[in-house]
């Protein structure tokens, strides 16, 4: 498995790399000192795991996750314990406090290995429907009927029929449970249901514009446009 270490403090990065040398099944593919560097490296290296600090100049670890089109598994590494609840709300595998205890690190990596094996064994373990409570109203929403999912902070706006309920979950956390044959990440904020695409037009700078049936036109980022062309033989 490939991992990235993202921390603004070089001594912390060196110490974590030293500790990770004990795990021969894990490759540290790179290091980043801020979220701009990290975003570029995630896009180019496609890591399986992030060791992610929270408080960094220029943006937090949480800010980075909202900017990624595909979010790897995450272990937060931080000197502050007050963000633990939020960390697990974004589906982090673990939350390690600095200085990192080798035994806790080993425990976290055991969890990483287990999660990775489960995904490999059960590729078809996808959500078919989801329970949504939006104010006083509740629904069981069949995901095959949702044409568009849009990130709104820590919530997801579901475009489902004539309603647009809010789901209290981060888009990246839900994405891992969606059927990859039906749902496609169009850009940082939106996932589209491929069954609802009426037509696709070429935009500027390599982007695409997908018109959804009974829905809006969605811009597909340049990087994702290349993947969509292959997926749909465009």
């Amino acid at each position: 498995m490939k991992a990235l270490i993202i921390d603004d403090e070089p001594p912390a990065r060196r110490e974590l790399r030293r500790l990770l040398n004990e795990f021969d099944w894990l490759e540290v593919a790179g290091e980043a000192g801020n979220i701009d560097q990290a975003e570029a490296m995630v896009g180019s290296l496609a890591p399986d795991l992030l060791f992610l600090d929270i408080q960094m100049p220029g943006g937090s670890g949480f800010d980075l996750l909202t900017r990624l089109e595909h979010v790897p598994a995450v272990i937060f590494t931080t000197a502050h314990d007050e963000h633990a609840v939020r960390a697990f709300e974004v589906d982090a595998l673990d939350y390690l406090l600095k200085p990192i205890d080798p035994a806790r690190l080993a425990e976290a990596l055991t969890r990483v290995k287990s999660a990775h094996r489960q995904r490999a064994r059960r590729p078809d373990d996808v959500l078919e429907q989801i329970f949504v409570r939006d104010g006083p109203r509740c629904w069981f929403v069949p995901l095959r009927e949702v044409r568009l999912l849009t990130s709104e902070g820590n919530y997801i706006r579901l475009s489902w029929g004539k309603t647009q309920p809010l789901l209290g979950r981060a888009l990246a956390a839900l994405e891992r449970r969606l059927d990859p044959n039906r749902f496609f990440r169009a850009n940082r904020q939106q996932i589209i249901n491929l069954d609802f695409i009426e037509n696709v037009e070429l935009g500027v700078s390599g982007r695409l514009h997908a018109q959804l049936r009974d829905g809006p036109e969605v811009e597909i980022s340049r990087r994702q446009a290349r993947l969509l062309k292959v997926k749909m033989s465009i």
Side-chain angles (χ1 to χ4, degrees):
M1 295 180 65
K2 289 194 298 185
L4 289 182
I5 298 173
I6 304 166
D7 196 306
D8 63 310
E9 299 178 351
R13 297 199 302 268
R14 287 195 296 269
E15 175 62 10
L16 181 54
R17 183 184 279 270
R18 184 187 69 79
L19 293 173
L20 293 174
N21 283 338
E22 299 295 321
F23 303 89
D24 55 8
W25 53 271
L26 187 70
E27 172 197 357
V28 178
E31 300 177 10
N34 57 61
I35 66 172
D36 290 331
Q37 293 176 354
E39 181 182 8
M41 293 181 74
V42 170
S44 62
L45 297 175
D48 305 293
L49 175 64
L50 303 181
F51 291 94
L52 182 58
D53 192 11
I54 292 179
Q55 296 186 358
M56 294 179 284
S60 72
F62 295 114
D63 294 330
L64 171 66
L65 298 182
T66 65
R67 290 166 55 170
L68 297 179
E69 291 178 339
H70 294 282
V71 179
V74 175
I75 293 176
F76 282 103
T77 57
T78 177
H80 307 277
D81 62 4
E82 65 266 26
H83 304 290
V85 172
R86 186 179 176 192
F88 291 109
E89 286 176 348
V90 298
D91 213 22
L93 288 178
D94 214 326
Y95 189 93
L96 303 181
L97 291 175
K98 301 175 185 175
I100 294 173
D101 176 63
R104 277 289 290 119
L105 177 61
E107 179 184 328
L109 289 176
T110 297
R111 189 171 292 113
V112 169
K113 249 187 166 180
S114 176
H116 186 70
R117 287 171 178 166
Q118 287 177 11
R119 284 194 297 270
R121 284 198 304 266
R122 300 191 301 172
D124 297 325
D125 182 21
V126 298
L127 286 174
E128 296 294 335
Q129 66 177 11
I130 194 164
F131 178 75
V132 179
R133 182 192 302 273
D134 189 359
R137 305 180 66 186
C138 302
W139 300 271
F140 279 102
V141 178
L143 284 169
R144 67 181 181 278
E145 298 177 5
V146 175
R147 59 183 174 271
L148 178 67
L149 301 93
T150 303
S151 175
E152 296 186 7
N154 290 324
Y155 293 84
I156 303 169
R157 179 74 65 182
L158 303 177
S159 295
W160 173 51
K162 295 182 179 180
T163 63
Q164 292 194 334
L166 271 177
L167 173 65
R169 192 179 302 186
L171 187 62
L174 181 62
E175 182 178 13
R176 301 189 186 101
R177 299 291 309 281
L178 296 176
D179 183 353
N181 294 317
R182 171 171 285 143
F183 290 96
F184 182 81
R185 171 72 80 154
N187 52 60
R188 289 173 182 160
Q189 303 298 321
Q190 295 174 304
I191 294 175
I192 59 175
N193 186 333
L194 297 175
D195 295 340
F196 281 81
I197 293 180
E198 281 194 337
N199 59 72
V200 178
E201 295 183 356
L202 182 64
V204 298
S205 302
R207 292 176 173 82
L208 295 175
H209 296 273
Q211 177 62 54
L212 302 185
R213 186 175 73 252
D214 301 322
E217 181 180 271
V218 177
E219 182 176 89
I220 300 172
S221 70
R222 181 171 56 185
R223 179 176 181 275
Q224 293 303 101
R226 293 194 294 268
L227 299 177
L228 184 65
K229 288 177 181 178
V230 173
K231 192 177 186 71
M232 302 191 70
S233 301
I234 297 176

